[in-house]
Amino acid sequence: DLLLLDEPFNGLDRTGIYNLKGIMKDFKENNKIVIISSHSFRELEDIIDEVIALEDGKIIGLEDVSLFHQKGINSLEEYVEMMKGRDKNDK
């Protein structure tokens, strides 16, 4: 019921990334949970529903990806960088 992946795209070619993303999508479509830890934001853009941004082991952001557009956020990388900046300003 839970698929937990740590840096799953490392070392994969385009075909491997495509196949792995298909497996993740199938898993989600069967009402199962997929948790991915990754620094490869580009590969995640079209498959994630929510993002939890971490910095130094602490949660600095939690967001529903479907709300990015209405909040003026253009990408996952932009969101994470925005949260990093906010976290530093809050200290």
Side-chain angles (χ1 to χ4, degrees), residues 37-50:
S37 171
S38 182
H39 294 90
S40 302
F41 299 142
R42 186 178 58 202
E43 283 85 5
L44 297 173
E45 294 277 348
D46 63 336
I47 60 172
I48 63 171
D49 300 314
E50 294 180 55

Side-chain angles (χ1 to χ4, degrees), residues 11-56:
L12 296 181
D13 62 9
R14 297 307 315 158
T15 302
I17 291 170
Y18 176 82
N19 290 338
L20 181 56
K21 286 170 79 170
I23 291 167
M24 289 184 225
K25 287 178 183 179
D26 288 344
F27 210 80
K28 283 176 35 179
E29 287 171 4
N30 286 303
N31 296 318
K32 297 182 180 184
I33 298 170
V34 180
I35 298 174
I36 305 165
S37 171
S38 182
H39 294 90
S40 302
F41 299 142
R42 186 178 58 202
E43 283 85 5
L44 297 173
E45 294 277 348
D46 63 336
I47 60 172
I48 63 171
D49 300 314
E50 294 180 55
V51 60
I52 300 171
L54 301 172
E55 175 96 331
D56 297 324

